[in-house]
Amino acid sequence: MTSVGVRPTGRQHRRVHWATVAVAALPVAALLLFFVYPVAGMLARGLWPDGSFDLAGVVDVLTRPRTRRVLWFTVWSAGLATLVSVGAGLPVAFVLHRLRFPGRDVLRALVVVPFVLPTVVVGVAFRQLIAPSGPLGFLALDGTATAIVAALVFFNISVVVRTVGAFWEAIDARREEAAAVLGASPLQVFRTVTLPALLPGIVSAASVVFLFCATSFGVVLTMGGLRYANVETEIYLLTTQELDLTAAAALSIVQLLVIVALLVLSARVRRTPGAVDRTTRVLSRPRRRHLPALAWTAAVLVFLMAPIVSLVAASLRRGDDWGLENYRALGTTGSRNALLVPATEGLLNSFEVAIVASAIALTLGASVAYLVSRPEGGRAGSVLDGVFMLPLGVSAVTVGFGFLITLDRPPVDLRSSSLLIPVAQAMVALPLVVRTVAPVLRSVDDRQRQAAASLGAGPLRVLMTVDVPVAWRPLLAAAGFAFAVSLGEFGATSFLARDDSPTLPVVIYRLIGRPGAENFGMAMAASVVLAASTAVVMFAVQRLRVASVGSF
């Protein structure tokens, strides 16, 4: 049986076909030029150092004792952080997505803020919290693997809350009530009804969290020091300090293979929750039996807020005095000219770059979301969706270094172009835009498009009258997420930013690497400014009520 609606004519089919090709051309070309080409160039430089494939060099790299230590630390730290994030996030997802109480929307926004905080800020905040002079210095966690895992959990727990929360909201409450009426205990209801419905979301969240933890750069770089390194920071070390491109390329290949496997797993188990029936979705008021979950949620919120509060306190302190001196110093270049330009200029650069990067990411991501959401896309749409997810996990260090060694000659010479950093950051934010907009476009009944087309509307008119009214809020949310991610991007930018025009994350990293109380205080103040900027953007996105993180 066919769906109700008028079948498009042959001419309309041809118009749709050519419109689809036109829409696909720009994002595909951008992905090939600004992602595939730089990554391939980086790998080629390492694997074909003398014009011939050096397999022996790759094998030698992978069998080095240090490489094995790096791979093992990456796997076990990411695995442990994933398990803790899932275990800690499930009760929070229930409280924030199934219970109704004052301030719930504010708490949901607070939970998401750590996910978009710049990783270098997360590392700085945790170092300040657990440093010997910090509030938790007595735990002696500074410079330990435990601290790194805790920071990874801090950064990724919101992914679990939003992903699983979206699935929890989509569960028909009547099924749980029916099981309870038939005599099932609360534990049996959860095991037989709730858990099977949540399992795809849990597996999807776990795979994405593992991906983020395994590719974490700023957190491990600022907290691991010389003792701990994951694949991402090791690639950075090999390319910037040791100039061992063969080793960096070998690790990039291993990382790429793992990422592809995780993305395939996530795609297989992920099913976007359908539109929630507002007549059956009932938000309960907190009751006595919810006290353990509420207490756990409060503890998690304290865990999430503690590093941020400690960071704010450190930014207001200079020696034994309290005040705004560190913030005033942002207008200078720091002690002993630690910077070439004032830190405030780095903030302005970050905003300018983020605006351009989010515009590029939104343009490309919306086009991809339109393509992959078409019912006629089929397997091709799924493949395209997966391909545009690759920048999500491929090393930002690899992308950044690839930009330097490939986009340095005509006809594509961007070394001196102001677009170099925005384009790199747009590639990082692109998957987020696609995952925000595509599920909404998929929810549109295709019969509405067919009806509009049968009345003579062209593809553009159909898009503007059917899709845009539904998708404009997710588009704004996607722009906000892309802006926040670009504002704090550090991996690729650390390669590309010049000393005379750094972004604020680069400024922070340079300040914490220079001695002096003034430089340290400026780093704390700059971290607070950057964190506050991303938090404001996230609160604005939350007002749009789009569960973007959960759509991964």
Side-chain angles (χ1 to χ4, degrees):
M1 297 181 63
T2 58
S3 61
V4 177
V6 180
R7 291 182 178 275
T9 65
R11 177 177 295 180
Q12 289 170 336
H13 269 302
R14 287 192 295 271
R15 290 168 64 187
V16 171
H17 170 74
W18 287 112
T20 302
V21 171
V23 171
L26 180 60
V28 170
L31 186 73
L32 290 174
L33 179 60
F34 298 121
F35 177 73
V36 176
Y37 179 48
V39 172
M42 160 68 179
L43 297 180
R45 185 72 65 90
L47 300 180
W48 283 268
D50 299 318
S52 59
F53 182 62
D54 186 12
L55 180 60
V58 174
V59 174
D60 175 69
V61 169
L62 298 180
T63 55
R64 292 176 185 173
R66 176 171 175 82
T67 299
R68 292 199 297 268
R69 290 195 301 270
V70 169
L71 291 174
W72 172 238
F73 176 77
T74 302
V75 171
W76 82 256
S77 63
L80 180 58
T82 300
L83 290 175
V84 175
S85 297
V86 171
L90 286 178
V92 182
F94 169 78
V95 170
L96 297 184
H97 289 267
R98 288 303 293 266
L99 299 183
R100 181 178 71 252
F101 54 88
R104 183 175 66 105
D105 289 342
V106 174
L107 295 182
R108 289 171 68 167
L110 288 176
V111 168
V112 178
V113 166
F115 177 73
V116 294
L117 284 181
T119 54
V120 65
V121 171
V122 174
V124 169
F126 263 85
R127 285 291 302 273
Q128 176 58 30
L129 182 66
I130 63 177
S133 59
L136 299 182
F138 64 92
L139 296 177
L141 293 177
D142 191 19
T144 66
T146 301
I148 295 175
V149 172
L152 293 176
V153 172
F154 168 88
F155 188 73
N156 289 288
I157 197 170
S158 62
V159 177
V160 178
V161 174
R162 298 300 291 263
T163 303
V164 180
F167 280 78
W168 225 317
E169 284 185 341
I171 296 176
D172 189 342
R174 293 176 297 187
R175 296 177 57 196
E176 297 173 320
E177 294 169 356
V181 169
L182 293 174
S185 66
L187 182 59
Q188 289 175 320
V189 171
F190 179 80
R191 181 173 55 84
T192 60
V193 178
T194 308
L195 185 59
L198 295 179
L199 192 58
I202 293 174
V203 176
S204 180
S207 62
V208 173
V209 169
F210 184 89
L211 185 152
F212 285 148
C213 292
T215 58
S216 177
F217 178 63
V219 170
V220 179
L221 185 66
T222 55
M223 299 187 65
L226 299 177
R227 184 176 180 185
Y228 297 104
N230 64 357
V231 171
E232 191 86 353
T233 58
E234 187 71 2
I235 293 173
Y236 177 79
L237 175 67
L238 291 169
T239 53
T240 60
Q241 298 186 23
E242 299 184 15
L243 298 179
D244 189 348
L245 298 187
T246 299
L251 289 177
S252 296
I253 290 174
V254 172
Q255 187 182 58
L256 181 61
L257 292 175
V258 172
I259 288 164
V260 170
L262 287 172
L263 290 175
V264 170
L265 173 64
S266 180
R268 284 183 177 274
V269 301
R270 186 183 69 242
R271 59 175 178 84
T272 303
V276 180
D277 185 350
R278 299 295 175 180
T279 63
T280 60
R281 175 195 165 202
V282 179
L283 294 178
S284 304
R285 291 185 177 277
R287 299 178 183 177
R288 184 181 298 273
R289 68 174 184 270
H290 299 144
L291 287 179
L294 290 169
W296 182 260
T297 300
V300 169
L301 288 171
V302 170
F303 167 73
L304 295 179
M305 292 299 106
I308 299 176
V309 172
S310 177
L311 181 65
V312 173
S315 72
L316 296 173
R317 187 169 183 175
R318 175 79 66 87
D320 295 328
D321 299 326
W322 295 83
L324 299 177
E325 188 61 31
N326 291 325
Y327 291 90
R328 298 188 186 98
L330 293 179
T332 70
T333 57
S335 176
R336 299 180 180 178
N337 291 324
L339 306 170
L340 289 184
V341 297
T344 51
E345 188 168 328
L347 177 62
L348 294 177
N349 291 336
S350 291
F351 273 99
E352 292 175 0
V353 169
I355 291 172
V356 177
S358 57
I360 296 173
L362 186 64
T363 300
L364 300 178
S367 301
V368 175
Y370 171 82
L371 294 171
V372 303
S373 64
R374 297 299 90 182
E376 64 272 12
R379 182 174 295 275
S382 299
V383 172
L384 187 66
D385 187 23
V387 168
F388 276 89
M389 289 302 104
L390 287 178
L392 179 69
V394 172
S395 169
V397 172
T398 299
V399 175
F401 191 76
F403 267 54
L404 286 182
I405 64 176
T406 58
L407 304 181
D408 61 344
R409 62 182 67 90
V412 186
D413 185 359
L414 297 180
R415 286 176 304 175
S416 59
S417 172
S418 59
L419 289 176
L420 183 65
I421 297 178
V423 168
Q425 293 186 357
M427 292 297 103
V428 175
L430 178 60
L432 189 60
V433 175
V434 176
R435 279 287 180 255
T436 302
V437 181
V440 178
L441 293 179
R442 288 193 185 102
S443 68
V444 177
D445 190 342
D446 193 54
R447 290 175 296 184
Q448 298 181 35
R449 302 188 184 101
Q450 294 177 11
S454 68
L455 294 174
L460 182 59
R461 184 70 178 272
V462 171
L463 177 68
M464 297 303 297
T465 57
V466 177
D467 294 280
V468 171
V470 176
W472 72 269
R473 292 169 70 90
L475 284 170
L476 288 179
F481 271 102
F483 183 86
V485 170
S486 299
L487 197 62
E489 204 284 322
F490 178 62
T493 309
S494 63
F495 277 92
L496 304 176
R498 300 194 304 268
D499 290 341
D500 59 348
S501 59
T503 61
L504 197 55
V506 174
V507 166
I508 293 169
Y509 184 69
R510 289 175 182 170
L511 286 172
I512 61 176
R514 300 296 179 90
E518 181 179 350
N519 292 333
F520 177 79
M522 287 176 61
M524 298 299 105
S527 298
V528 171
V529 171
L530 191 55
S533 300
T534 55
V536 169
V537 174
M538 287 312 304
F539 275 107
V541 170
Q542 178 62 26
R543 296 291 297 177
L544 297 173
R545 287 176 168 81
V546 178
S548 306
V549 175
S551 60
F552 277 105

